[in-house]
Amino acid sequence: MSSQSEFWDDERKIREAFNVSNFICPMKGINYPCVVCKECQKMELKQYFLENGLIEKTKNSSLISLIIEIKDPFDDMLLKRICKTLFKETGIVMSEPEPGFSVTFFITPALLEKVESKEDLIKFIKDFPHTFLTETISAKSALNKWERVTAKRLAWNMGVR
Ligand SMILES: [Zn+2]
């Protein structure tokens, strides 16, 4: 970490992770994301520590990994499912997070082209742990409602009046 970036807040570090260009990987010869192979000499790998996460940035791609404090196995399942679905939907959320982390965002110039507002995405990533935990509350309330309605119907089918 450079002496200057030590004083950056998380938002500033995530903004820096977005600072990627269409650098052609000399190892792979194509526009391969260097942050995935992490083998070539010219990728300029940098690491930035977040309050609850880690950024790995190279010239053409970045990984932003966050830890979400999850104690409930149901929430853990929800997170895995939403990450896989968001991967299919956006390509920006990785279907499998980096080892040791709860969620990993993948940044390349091509993926950023699909994004309407980079600043909104920076805030989204920064707030994601909080957003996710809020969403688990609505998932649980939907499940509770399903339980009540289904139990009533099944009790009726059982002939219990
Ligand atoms: Zn490379």
Side-chain angles (χ1 to χ4, degrees):
M1 196 150 63
S2 78
S3 56
Q4 177 198 10
S5 63
E6 279 173 45
F7 303 103
W8 291 354
D9 62 12
D10 282 3
E11 212 170 291
R12 178 72 187 82
K13 290 171 185 168
I14 297 169
R15 192 172 294 116
E16 177 61 19
F18 282 21
N19 190 13
V20 284
S21 63
N22 283 311
F23 167 72
I24 307 291
C25 175
M27 292 257 312
K28 304 270 175 180
I30 49 166
N31 197 356
Y32 190 88
C34 289
V35 81
V36 174
C37 79
K38 280 187 204 126
E39 281 170 25
C40 61
Q41 302 291 309
K42 293 186 174 157
M43 62 177 174
E44 295 175 7
L45 178 67
K46 288 183 190 117
Q47 288 189 327
Y48 303 100
F49 293 94
L50 302 171
E51 246 176 76
N52 221 346
L54 174 71
I55 293 174
E56 289 187 292
K57 179 189 180 287
T58 63
K59 264 171 144 173
N60 66 8
S61 49
S62 298
L63 295 176
I64 304 165
S65 299
L66 305 175
I67 293 169
I68 305 174
E69 296 288 347
I70 290 172
K71 288 163 191 123
D72 184 338
F74 183 71
D75 289 356
D76 192 49
M77 179 202 73
L78 288 178
L79 181 64
K80 288 194 169 90
R81 292 187 62 151
I82 202 71
C83 285
K84 286 198 166 65
T85 313
L86 279 172
F87 169 71
K88 286 180 202 145
E89 203 72 35
T90 69
I92 294 175
V93 174
M94 305 260 293
S95 61
E96 295 279 338
E98 286 287 282
F101 293 94
S102 312
V103 59
T104 298
F105 296 88
F106 179 50
I107 303 296
T108 66
L111 287 169
L112 285 179
E113 261 172 38
K114 301 201 294 186
V115 172
E116 217 173 330
S117 160
K118 288 179 191 171
E119 285 303 311
D120 285 353
L121 181 59
I122 290 166
K123 286 190 184 72
F124 179 87
I125 292 172
K126 193 171 125 315
D127 295 340
F128 185 77
H130 178 74
T131 305
F132 171 74
L133 291 172
T134 307
E135 294 294 346
T136 64
I137 295 166
S138 73
K140 277 175 190 145
S141 108
L143 183 65
N144 285 339
K145 193 179 162 199
W146 172 84
E147 264 172 24
R148 281 197 307 276
V149 171
T150 306
K152 262 194 193 125
R153 185 164 42 79
L154 293 183
W156 183 267
N157 291 350
M158 288 162 76
V160 178
R161 301 288 186 267

